Amino acid sequence: MVLLLLAGSASADLSTEEILKKADEARGNLKGVQWEVSVVSKEKERTTEMVFFVPAKGFDVLATSLFPAKDKGNKILLVRADIWVHKLGLTKPARISTIQKPVGMAS
């Protein structure tokens, strides 16, 4: 119990942002993480594959399509609760509203 009080009083001088930054530093995640994600979909006799490069920092994510070639360069941006989609050839990204967000089988 004494340790909790000491830890609590030591962090009382830090702002919320500073506490989160120190937590990220302790986990080694100050610059974020990145993955290459492969999605395989099988429907009846048809199998399709998509590959994305996905860097993330905190809860913000930018997924860029790498494969198939026809989708290469398309992007999906997730910032907090907002989702934005940008397809090559469009002049600006489209925001996906809360009602339109994919859920269940639609995702």
Side-chain angles (χ1 to χ4, degrees), residues 6-15 19:
L6 290 174
S9 65
S11 65
D13 297 334
L14 299 175
S15 71
I19 292 169

Side-chain angles (χ1 to χ4, degrees), residues 35 53-63 76-80:
W35 303 277
F53 173 68
V54 186
K57 185 170 183 182
F59 292 101
D60 300 339
V61 175
L62 175 65
I76 302 170
L77 175 65
L78 291 86
V79 179
R80 295 179 187 86

Side-chain angles (χ1 to χ4, degrees), residues 81-85 94-104 106-107:
D82 295 328
I83 299 177
W84 296 82
V85 176
R95 183 177 180 273
I96 305 298
S97 74
T98 307
I99 295 170
Q100 295 173 311
K101 289 182 182 174
V103 178
S107 62

Side-chain angles (χ1 to χ4, degrees), residues 14-79:
L14 299 175
S15 71
T16 305
E17 190 172 306
E18 291 170 326
I19 292 169
L20 291 173
K21 184 177 179 183
K22 287 195 176 290
D24 282 343
E25 287 172 350
R27 288 192 303 266
N29 188 20
L30 193 57
K31 294 183 181 180
V33 295
Q34 57 187 17
W35 303 277
E36 187 169 295
V37 179
S38 186
V39 179
V40 178
S41 174
K42 295 181 181 181
E43 294 182 42
K44 297 181 182 176
E45 302 295 321
R46 184 176 174 202
T47 300
T48 57
E49 181 180 8
M50 297 177 76
V51 178
F52 295 92
F53 173 68
V54 186
K57 185 170 183 182
F59 292 101
D60 300 339
V61 175
L62 175 65
T64 304
S65 179
L66 302 176
F67 182 84
K70 69 180 181 75
D71 295 326
K72 187 174 183 176
N74 290 342
K75 297 179 185 337
I76 302 170
L77 175 65
L78 291 86
V79 179

